[in-house]
Short mmCIF file of all heavy atoms in Angstrom, two decimals:
data_model
loop_
_atom_site.label_atom_id
_atom_site.label_comp_id
_atom_site.label_asym_id
_atom_site.label_seq_id
_atom_site.Cartn_x
_atom_site.Cartn_y
_atom_site.Cartn_z
N ARG A 1 100.29 117.18 121.00
CA ARG A 1 100.83 116.62 122.25
C ARG A 1 100.42 115.15 122.33
O ARG A 1 99.44 114.79 122.97
CB ARG A 1 100.32 117.42 123.45
CG ARG A 1 100.83 118.84 123.47
CD ARG A 1 100.27 119.62 124.66
NE ARG A 1 100.78 120.97 124.72
CZ ARG A 1 100.24 122.00 124.07
NH1 ARG A 1 99.15 121.80 123.33
NH2 ARG A 1 100.76 123.20 124.15
N PHE A 2 101.21 114.32 121.69
CA PHE A 2 100.89 112.89 121.61
C PHE A 2 101.56 112.15 122.76
O PHE A 2 102.78 112.22 122.94
CB PHE A 2 101.37 112.33 120.26
CG PHE A 2 101.39 110.83 120.22
CD1 PHE A 2 100.21 110.11 120.26
CD2 PHE A 2 102.60 110.15 120.19
CE1 PHE A 2 100.23 108.73 120.25
CE2 PHE A 2 102.63 108.77 120.17
CZ PHE A 2 101.44 108.06 120.20
N ASN A 3 100.75 111.44 123.54
CA ASN A 3 101.26 110.64 124.65
C ASN A 3 100.57 109.29 124.65
O ASN A 3 99.41 109.18 125.07
CB ASN A 3 101.00 111.35 125.99
CG ASN A 3 101.87 112.57 126.17
OD1 ASN A 3 103.09 112.47 126.23
ND2 ASN A 3 101.25 113.74 126.25
N PRO A 4 101.25 108.23 124.21
CA PRO A 4 100.63 106.91 124.21
C PRO A 4 100.53 106.38 125.63
O PRO A 4 101.25 106.83 126.53
CB PRO A 4 101.62 106.07 123.39
CG PRO A 4 102.95 106.74 123.62
CD PRO A 4 102.65 108.21 123.73
N PRO A 5 99.65 105.42 125.89
CA PRO A 5 99.59 104.80 127.22
C PRO A 5 100.96 104.26 127.61
O PRO A 5 101.56 103.49 126.87
CB PRO A 5 98.55 103.69 127.04
CG PRO A 5 97.69 104.16 125.91
CD PRO A 5 98.62 104.88 124.98
N PHE A 6 101.47 104.68 128.75
CA PHE A 6 102.85 104.38 129.13
C PHE A 6 103.12 102.90 129.31
O PHE A 6 104.25 102.44 129.22
CB PHE A 6 103.21 105.14 130.41
CG PHE A 6 102.50 104.63 131.64
CD1 PHE A 6 103.07 103.65 132.44
CD2 PHE A 6 101.26 105.13 132.00
CE1 PHE A 6 102.43 103.18 133.57
CE2 PHE A 6 100.61 104.66 133.13
CZ PHE A 6 101.18 103.68 133.92
N TYR A 7 102.07 102.12 129.59
CA TYR A 7 102.25 100.70 129.91
C TYR A 7 102.23 99.80 128.68
O TYR A 7 102.54 98.61 128.77
CB TYR A 7 101.15 100.25 130.87
CG TYR A 7 99.75 100.60 130.43
CD1 TYR A 7 99.04 99.79 129.55
CD2 TYR A 7 99.16 101.80 130.85
CE1 TYR A 7 97.78 100.15 129.12
CE2 TYR A 7 97.89 102.16 130.42
CZ TYR A 7 97.21 101.33 129.56
OH TYR A 7 95.95 101.69 129.12
N LEU A 8 101.88 100.35 127.51
CA LEU A 8 101.83 99.55 126.29
C LEU A 8 103.20 99.51 125.62
O LEU A 8 103.93 100.50 125.60
CB LEU A 8 100.81 100.12 125.30
CG LEU A 8 99.34 100.02 125.67
CD1 LEU A 8 98.49 100.62 124.55
CD2 LEU A 8 98.92 98.58 125.93
N THR A 9 103.54 98.37 125.05
CA THR A 9 104.72 98.32 124.20
C THR A 9 104.41 98.98 122.87
O THR A 9 103.24 99.22 122.53
CB THR A 9 105.15 96.86 123.93
OG1 THR A 9 104.12 96.21 123.17
CG2 THR A 9 105.38 96.10 125.24
N GLY A 10 105.46 99.27 122.11
CA GLY A 10 105.23 99.86 120.79
C GLY A 10 104.35 98.99 119.93
O GLY A 10 103.45 99.48 119.24
N ARG A 11 104.58 97.69 119.96
CA ARG A 11 103.77 96.77 119.15
C ARG A 11 102.31 96.79 119.60
O ARG A 11 101.40 96.85 118.78
CB ARG A 11 104.32 95.36 119.25
CG ARG A 11 103.51 94.33 118.45
CD ARG A 11 104.07 92.93 118.54
NE ARG A 11 105.32 92.81 117.78
CZ ARG A 11 106.53 92.80 118.33
NH1 ARG A 11 106.66 92.92 119.65
NH2 ARG A 11 107.60 92.68 117.58
N ASP A 12 102.10 96.75 120.92
CA ASP A 12 100.73 96.76 121.43
C ASP A 12 100.00 98.03 121.03
O ASP A 12 98.82 98.00 120.68
CB ASP A 12 100.72 96.61 122.95
CG ASP A 12 101.12 95.22 123.42
OD1 ASP A 12 101.02 94.28 122.61
OD2 ASP A 12 101.53 95.09 124.58
N PHE A 13 100.72 99.16 121.10
CA PHE A 13 100.08 100.43 120.74
C PHE A 13 99.71 100.46 119.27
O PHE A 13 98.58 100.84 118.90
CB PHE A 13 100.99 101.61 121.08
CG PHE A 13 100.42 102.93 120.64
CD1 PHE A 13 99.38 103.52 121.35
CD2 PHE A 13 100.88 103.56 119.50
CE1 PHE A 13 98.82 104.72 120.93
CE2 PHE A 13 100.33 104.76 119.07
CZ PHE A 13 99.30 105.34 119.79
N VAL A 14 100.64 100.08 118.40
CA VAL A 14 100.35 100.09 116.96
C VAL A 14 99.21 99.14 116.65
O VAL A 14 98.29 99.47 115.88
CB VAL A 14 101.61 99.73 116.15
CG1 VAL A 14 101.26 99.57 114.68
CG2 VAL A 14 102.68 100.81 116.32
N ARG A 15 99.25 97.95 117.25
CA ARG A 15 98.18 96.97 117.00
C ARG A 15 96.82 97.53 117.44
O ARG A 15 95.81 97.38 116.75
CB ARG A 15 98.49 95.67 117.74
CG ARG A 15 97.60 94.50 117.32
CD ARG A 15 97.89 93.28 118.18
NE ARG A 15 99.24 92.82 118.05
CZ ARG A 15 99.68 91.99 117.09
NH1 ARG A 15 98.82 91.57 116.17
NH2 ARG A 15 100.93 91.60 117.06
N TYR A 16 96.81 98.18 118.60
CA TYR A 16 95.57 98.76 119.13
C TYR A 16 95.05 99.85 118.21
O TYR A 16 93.85 99.90 117.89
CB TYR A 16 95.82 99.31 120.53
CG TYR A 16 94.67 100.08 121.12
CD1 TYR A 16 93.47 99.46 121.44
CD2 TYR A 16 94.79 101.45 121.36
CE1 TYR A 16 92.41 100.18 121.98
CE2 TYR A 16 93.74 102.17 121.90
CZ TYR A 16 92.56 101.53 122.21
OH TYR A 16 91.52 102.25 122.74
N MET A 17 95.94 100.75 117.77
CA MET A 17 95.51 101.84 116.91
C MET A 17 95.00 101.32 115.56
O MET A 17 94.01 101.82 115.03
CB MET A 17 96.65 102.84 116.69
CG MET A 17 97.01 103.65 117.93
SD MET A 17 95.59 104.58 118.59
CE MET A 17 95.18 105.61 117.21
N LEU A 18 95.67 100.33 115.00
CA LEU A 18 95.22 99.80 113.72
C LEU A 18 93.88 99.09 113.87
O LEU A 18 93.06 99.09 112.93
CB LEU A 18 96.27 98.86 113.14
CG LEU A 18 97.57 99.53 112.70
CD1 LEU A 18 98.52 98.53 112.08
CD2 LEU A 18 97.29 100.67 111.71
N GLU A 19 93.63 98.51 115.03
CA GLU A 19 92.31 97.92 115.26
C GLU A 19 91.24 99.01 115.27
O GLU A 19 90.16 98.85 114.70
CB GLU A 19 92.30 97.16 116.58
CG GLU A 19 91.00 96.43 116.85
CD GLU A 19 91.04 95.56 118.09
OE1 GLU A 19 92.15 95.28 118.58
OE2 GLU A 19 89.97 95.17 118.57
N LEU A 20 91.56 100.16 115.91
CA LEU A 20 90.61 101.28 115.91
C LEU A 20 90.40 101.81 114.49
O LEU A 20 89.29 102.20 114.13
CB LEU A 20 91.12 102.40 116.82
CG LEU A 20 91.15 102.12 118.32
CD1 LEU A 20 91.68 103.34 119.07
CD2 LEU A 20 89.75 101.77 118.84
N TYR A 21 91.48 101.85 113.71
CA TYR A 21 91.38 102.32 112.33
C TYR A 21 90.79 101.27 111.39
O TYR A 21 90.60 101.53 110.20
CB TYR A 21 92.76 102.73 111.81
CG TYR A 21 93.27 104.05 112.32
CD1 TYR A 21 94.56 104.17 112.84
CD2 TYR A 21 92.50 105.20 112.25
CE1 TYR A 21 95.05 105.39 113.29
CE2 TYR A 21 92.98 106.41 112.69
CZ TYR A 21 94.25 106.50 113.22
OH TYR A 21 94.74 107.72 113.66
N ARG A 22 90.55 100.07 111.92
CA ARG A 22 90.04 98.95 111.12
C ARG A 22 90.97 98.63 109.97
O ARG A 22 90.55 98.39 108.83
CB ARG A 22 88.62 99.24 110.63
CG ARG A 22 87.62 99.43 111.78
CD ARG A 22 86.22 99.65 111.30
NE ARG A 22 85.31 99.85 112.43
CZ ARG A 22 84.01 100.07 112.32
NH1 ARG A 22 83.46 100.13 111.11
NH2 ARG A 22 83.25 100.25 113.39
N ALA A 23 92.25 98.64 110.29
CA ALA A 23 93.29 98.32 109.32
C ALA A 23 94.05 97.09 109.82
O ALA A 23 94.20 96.88 111.02
CB ALA A 23 94.26 99.50 109.16
N PRO A 24 94.52 96.25 108.92
CA PRO A 24 95.23 95.03 109.34
C PRO A 24 96.60 95.33 109.92
O PRO A 24 97.26 96.30 109.52
CB PRO A 24 95.33 94.22 108.05
CG PRO A 24 95.32 95.25 106.96
CD PRO A 24 94.40 96.34 107.45
N TYR A 25 97.02 94.50 110.86
CA TYR A 25 98.36 94.61 111.42
C TYR A 25 99.26 93.65 110.66
O TYR A 25 98.98 92.44 110.59
CB TYR A 25 98.37 94.27 112.90
CG TYR A 25 99.75 94.36 113.53
CD1 TYR A 25 100.18 95.54 114.13
CD2 TYR A 25 100.62 93.27 113.51
CE1 TYR A 25 101.44 95.64 114.69
CE2 TYR A 25 101.89 93.37 114.05
CZ TYR A 25 102.30 94.55 114.64
OH TYR A 25 103.56 94.64 115.18
#
């Protein structure tokens, strides 16, 4: 049951997740 923060854009969400994963955007 995946629900991203509703207020983030797709780019913001991917960028945020990659920062958590310590992977480059």
Side-chain angles (χ1 to χ4, degrees):
R1 294 179 179 86
F2 166 68
N3 289 297
F6 70 91
Y7 51 85
L8 291 181
T9 65
R11 179 180 288 102
D12 289 339
F13 176 76
V14 173
R15 192 185 298 275
Y16 173 66
M17 290 303 300
L18 292 183
E19 184 174 345
L20 292 180
Y21 284 131
R22 299 182 181 180
Y25 180 92

